[in-house]
Amino acid sequence: MHSVVIDHLTHFNVAQILESGQVFTFDKVTDCSYILNVKQKLIKLTQQPQSSSVMLYNTTISELDEIWERYFDMKTDYHHIAHTLSEKDPYMAEAVAFGKGIRILRQDPWEMLISFILSQNKAIPHIKQCIYNLSEKYGTPIESISNEEKQYYTFPTPEQLSQATEEELRACKIGFRAPYIRDACRKVMNEEVNLNDLMILSTEEARQKLMTIKGVGPKIADCILLFAYSRSSVFPTDVWIKRIIEGFYFKGKDMKVEQIQKFAKEYYGNLAGYAQQYLFYYGRYHTLFKKSERTRKID
DNA sequence: GCACAGGGCCAAT
DNA sequence: ATTGGCCCTGTG
């Protein structure tokens, strides 16, 4: 099995990148080892704590150039981003320091569209399960990598997923989102929404276009724009982000989502999307950690 | 056992 | 502009 080492990395932490809620098709093997199922490939990534080098198993140097360099956003200057955001205020500085190895992946638009339609009103483990169910039923099996008993499948293409009836989709436990997925398949297949064309539209035009699909509102459109189209000025505002922003900047006062979007746009400017990822990772981790702390005390 | 919330959105007020 | 309902699952 071919493997590749990337050395001298800064602002690159595999665990942080994968656990920051932007991607769902991965599995944690150990604390420093993950299996990632994207781009029709199955790779394993290992990185020791604090290490500036990452091992990629089951890939090659040429794939590093052709696929992974772009996917992991290697060319972007995260030092500049982290530094600029840290200067904003101590809260932001703490969030950046906590997740300074985060990067925003350049993912596939179709995959982001379907994944984030599924995400609404679900917890992250549940989203991952639903995506696995759909891939198992409509995707293509991928050759496993050594010592892995779990079978992986590619994310279903529009052609593959279009074969599914609403009833079959509901059998994948996606519930009321089934007709939304059907509508996304239909609009992408008949090119009412051409995902490639969105690349050259303005962010606002692309956002409006995405929202013509049933089940795609402002939050999900922003996730697609940030994670598939690298539109760093958007600020996907979900329940976690809302609570964090209220806590940091509005003394815990209840705000409207629109007010938070307006604040973020003005305050973070073109780095809003990066700010969102640092804040999400920080906020979610600390909430989950506090929960397990409470449980431990009761036990 | 059951109430509640989870990377929201739609449709009806 | 506001609000109830929604498939399903994990958690307390």
Side-chain angles (χ1 to χ4, degrees), chain A residues 207 222 235-237 257-265:
Chain A
R207 192 170 195 249
D222 282 351
F235 192 78
T237 305
V257 171
E258 292 76 14
Q259 293 177 289
I260 291 178
Q261 292 250 320
K262 184 171 182 292
F263 165 79
K265 191 182 169 104

Side-chain angles (χ1 to χ4, degrees), chain A residues 81 84-85 88 92 104 222 226-227 231-237 241 245 260-280:
Chain A
I81 294 165
T84 307
L85 286 174
K88 288 285 178 185
M92 195 67 226
I104 297 186
D222 282 351
L226 182 60
F227 301 137
R231 305 302 172 99
S232 63
S233 63
V234 302
F235 192 78
T237 305
I241 286 295
I245 293 288
I260 291 178
Q261 292 250 320
K262 184 171 182 292
F263 165 79
K265 191 182 169 104
E266 290 172 2
Y267 189 61
Y268 301 121
N270 201 39
L271 298 182
Y274 298 103
Q276 193 269 6
Q277 276 309 97
Y278 290 122
L279 291 170
F280 181 83

Side-chain angles (χ1 to χ4, degrees), chain A residues 67-245:
Chain A
I67 302 174
W68 305 120
E69 197 163 281
R70 175 179 161 74
Y71 182 80
F72 286 107
D73 198 23
M74 300 287 204
K75 293 278 171 60
T76 297
D77 183 357
Y78 280 83
H79 176 73
H80 169 74
I81 294 165
H83 183 257
T84 307
L85 286 174
S86 295
E87 301 262 279
K88 288 285 178 185
D89 59 83
Y91 295 126
M92 195 67 226
E94 189 178 340
V96 171
F98 183 74
K100 63 175 180 292
I102 288 175
R103 278 168 184 262
I104 297 186
L105 300 170
R106 294 172 183 266
Q107 300 186 75
D108 179 68
W110 166 252
E111 199 167 322
M112 292 297 96
L113 171 62
I114 299 303
S115 298
F116 281 96
I117 288 175
L118 294 177
S119 77
Q120 60 182 205
N121 212 229
K122 274 186 188 299
I124 287 178
H126 194 194
I127 301 167
K128 293 177 72 168
Q129 184 58 50
C130 289
I131 291 173
Y132 184 81
N133 293 344
L134 289 178
S135 302
E136 182 179 31
K137 211 160 180 182
Y138 301 101
T140 308
I142 307 180
E143 195 178 341
S144 68
I145 55 185
S146 63
N147 301 329
E148 271 309 310
E149 63 278 8
K150 178 178 172 182
Q151 175 66 53
Y152 289 89
Y153 303 85
T154 60
F155 198 93
T157 63
E159 291 77 10
Q160 289 176 320
L161 201 53
S162 296
Q163 303 304 311
T165 65
E166 181 172 333
E167 195 180 22
E168 289 167 342
L169 289 174
R170 281 179 182 266
C172 295
K173 309 296 183 187
I174 70 174
F176 62 84
R177 303 160 195 81
Y180 302 162
I181 297 299
R182 294 269 291 165
D183 191 57
C185 285
R186 190 176 63 78
K187 289 199 168 84
V188 169
M189 288 298 283
N190 70 16
E191 298 194 2
E192 268 180 74
V193 177
N194 184 319
L195 294 175
N196 290 326
D197 287 353
L198 296 192
M199 296 280 186
I200 57 172
L201 293 184
S202 74
T203 298
E204 194 47 43
E205 286 171 331
R207 192 170 195 249
Q208 292 306 320
K209 194 70 177 175
L210 287 167
M211 285 172 61
T212 63
I213 297 169
K214 289 281 183 194
V216 179
K219 191 287 180 173
I220 288 172
D222 282 351
C223 284
I224 300 166
L225 289 168
L226 182 60
F227 301 137
Y229 294 96
S230 301
R231 305 302 172 99
S232 63
S233 63
V234 302
F235 192 78
T237 305
D238 55 59
V239 290
W240 297 92
I241 286 295
K242 184 171 177 296
R243 286 197 288 255
I244 295 161
I245 293 288

